[in-house]
């Protein structure tokens, strides 16, 4: 599969887009990787597999940087107390990430464009319908909950691998609805699931020759990742400034327009 890109992508533009994407994600408590992927494809003209791998690398950096900051609000002991939930989801997500990355490597570029576009639509819908879920009673209990957690984890792992995202937009509603987690705790638990899941997908991509795109664009990745971290910090501080009933539909429209552009991409 072709993974070529334009020569010497602009690092200043990478930082600027990274900051904008990070701010958008920070405004809703996510990393913003779902907004970054269409930018990598549509603006910087990376082939889909190359864009996924670069997005995955940046997502790893952003998630790793988010862990210490969240620990100040949600102590690591709270995550440790819910280790069974994390393990339940990881039982599916690690396998899903491995298979998802393997499928992405084998797919033709045009097919991958269509899949990415479809997933962007899915995330837009989840953003509208599932972002404001609140904690309460768990949806399922006992063996049924375990099975549902593994299945949900597998699906989330596949999506995370195919898009190079952390999967928080899927993990948080799952943790809140399926396991009855508090929304703030769910944010930290999602990071505990995301990081190993992304590492598995990253390891699978590293076995393919297309992974060389990362070495050829390390400077670009560093600038965009730094911009994303800075933007996430700013977006987090502006949280609540824009009402959710205005912000969420706006971001969903951005994802839908991105999906159309990716779908038509050649």
């Amino acid at each position: 599969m072709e993974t070529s890109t334009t020569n010497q992508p602009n690092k200043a533009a990478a930082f600027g887009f990274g900051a904008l994407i990070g701010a958008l994600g920070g405004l809703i408590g996510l990393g913003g990787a779902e907004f970054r992927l269409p930018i990598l494809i549509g603006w910087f003209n990376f082939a889909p597999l190359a864009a996924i791998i670069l997005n995955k690398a940046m997502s790893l950096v952003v998630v790793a940087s988010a862990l210490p900051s969240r620990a100040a609000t949600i102590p690591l002991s709270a995550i440790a107390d819910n280790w069974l939930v994390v393990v339940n989801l990881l039982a599916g997500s690690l396998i899903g990430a491995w298979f998802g990355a393997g499928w992405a490597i084998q797919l033709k570029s045009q097919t991958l464009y269509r899949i990415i576009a479809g997933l962007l639509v899915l995330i837009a819908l989840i953003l509208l319908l599932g972002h404001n879920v609140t904690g309460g009673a768990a949806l399922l209990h006992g063996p049924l909950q375990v099975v549902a957690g593994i299945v949900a984890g597998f699906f989330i792992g596949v999506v995370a691998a195919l898009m190079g995202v952390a999967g928080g937009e899927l993990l948080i509603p799952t943790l809140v609805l399926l396991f009855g987690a508090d929304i703030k705790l769910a944010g930290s638990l999602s990071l505990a699931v995301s990081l190993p899941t992304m590492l598995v997908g990253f390891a699978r991509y590293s076995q393919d020759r297309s992974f060389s795109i990362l070495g050829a664009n390390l400077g670009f990745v560093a600038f965009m990742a730094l911009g994303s971290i800075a933007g996430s910090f700013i977006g987090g501080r502006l949280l609540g400034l824009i009402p959710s009933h205005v912000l969420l539909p706006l971001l969903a429209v951005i994802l839908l327009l991105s999906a159309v552009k990716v779908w038509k991409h050649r």
Side-chain angles (χ1 to χ4, degrees), residues 149-174:
I150 293 172
V151 173
F154 180 84
F155 173 74
I156 291 168
V158 170
V159 172
L162 285 172
M163 297 188 71
V165 300
E169 61 283 337
L170 301 174
L171 278 168
I172 291 175
T174 300

Side-chain angles (χ1 to χ4, degrees), residues 78-98:
I79 299 175
D81 290 341
N82 290 271
W83 69 272
L84 282 174
V85 173
V86 174
V87 169
N88 190 174
L89 288 170
L90 282 174
S93 68
L94 297 180
I95 299 172
W98 185 268

Side-chain angles (χ1 to χ4, degrees), residues 1-7 41 44-54 104-113 116 208-213 265-266:
M1 181 185 297
E2 182 188 359
T3 58
S4 62
T5 181
T6 55
N7 291 326
I41 292 172
F44 292 103
N45 293 316
F46 285 102
L49 183 56
I52 291 169
I53 292 172
L54 295 176
I105 290 168
Q106 296 171 13
L107 291 171
K108 294 180 179 179
S109 290
Q110 197 59 37
T111 303
L112 205 46
Y113 282 132
I116 291 171
D208 187 76
R209 61 184 177 84
S210 58
F211 195 72
S212 61
I213 193 71
H265 204 280
R266 301 293 180 187

Side-chain angles (χ1 to χ4, degrees), residues 105-210:
I105 290 168
Q106 296 171 13
L107 291 171
K108 294 180 179 179
S109 290
Q110 197 59 37
T111 303
L112 205 46
Y113 282 132
R114 300 296 171 87
I115 291 174
I116 291 171
L119 292 175
L120 287 171
V121 172
L122 173 65
I123 291 174
L125 294 175
I126 292 173
L127 199 61
L128 284 174
L129 303 176
H131 187 72
N132 288 323
V133 293
T134 55
L139 189 63
L140 298 172
H141 298 276
L144 283 177
Q145 186 185 63
V146 173
V147 172
I150 293 172
V151 173
F154 180 84
F155 173 74
I156 291 168
V158 170
V159 172
L162 285 172
M163 297 188 71
V165 300
E169 61 283 337
L170 301 174
L171 278 168
I172 291 175
T174 300
L175 287 159
V176 171
L177 296 175
L178 182 58
F179 297 97
D182 172 77
I183 187 67
K184 290 184 179 179
L185 175 61
S188 293
L189 292 176
S190 72
L191 293 178
V193 176
S194 293
L195 195 54
T197 301
M198 287 193 295
L199 286 171
V200 167
F202 205 61
R204 179 64 183 90
Y205 282 125
S206 70
Q207 297 180 358
D208 187 76
R209 61 184 177 84
S210 58

